[in-house]
């Protein structure tokens, strides 16, 4: 298995992920494009000491951006929605 910091890149804190988090016990992460659901589950369980029930992944296409008359493309990336078992919680803000 790869090191944890190579699988889980960062937590995603957006309006959508905040609504999903309030609606259920789900946390979103940006993960490595090569990571599979099993590796993501093991990495989250080990890093945050929680029990994971399920993992859903989404490949996000990079946007085409423009600087002056030149066009470029941002890299594609992978998002993972991790469903935690009842009674488990990840405190991303440390409050």
């Amino acid at each position: 298995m790869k090191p944890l910091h190579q699988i889980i890149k960062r937590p995603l804190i957006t309006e959508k992920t905040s609504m999903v988090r309030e609606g259920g016990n789900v946390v979103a992460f940006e993960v490595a494009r090569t990571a599979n659901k099993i590796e993501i589950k093991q990495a989250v369980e080990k890093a945050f000491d929680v029990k994971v029930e399920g993992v859903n992944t989404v490949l996000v296409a990079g946007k085409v951006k423009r600087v002056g008359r030149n066009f470029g493309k941002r890299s594609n990336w992978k998002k993972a929605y991790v469903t935690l078992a009842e009674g488990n919680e990840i405190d991303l803000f440390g409050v």
Side-chain angles (χ1 to χ4, degrees):
M1 188 169 116
K2 297 176 217 161
L4 299 179
H5 67 277
Q6 287 183 354
I7 295 173
I8 302 172
K9 292 187 177 180
R10 65 186 178 101
L12 292 175
I13 303 168
T14 62
E15 270 186 73
K16 182 178 179 180
T17 59
S18 297
M19 289 189 313
V20 170
R21 186 178 178 135
E22 290 172 5
N25 209 4
V26 178
V27 183
F29 294 99
E30 180 182 342
V31 295
R33 285 187 55 202
T34 58
N36 60 37
K37 292 181 181 186
I38 296 166
E39 290 176 333
I40 294 168
K41 178 181 177 179
Q42 291 172 350
V44 171
E45 286 180 343
K46 192 170 181 182
F48 297 103
D49 195 31
V50 293
K51 178 74 175 134
V52 174
E53 281 188 357
V55 178
N56 295 329
T57 58
V58 181
L59 285 174
V60 181
K63 295 180 178 181
V64 175
K65 291 294 184 176
R66 181 177 167 174
V67 178
R69 61 178 163 169
N70 300 321
F71 288 90
K73 184 179 177 296
R74 290 186 181 169
S75 298
N76 298 335
W77 55 287
K78 187 182 257 189
K79 182 191 311 186
Y81 289 103
V82 178
T83 305
L84 303 175
E86 195 66 36
N88 289 290
E89 186 177 323
I90 295 177
D91 186 18
L92 297 176
F93 298 107
V95 177

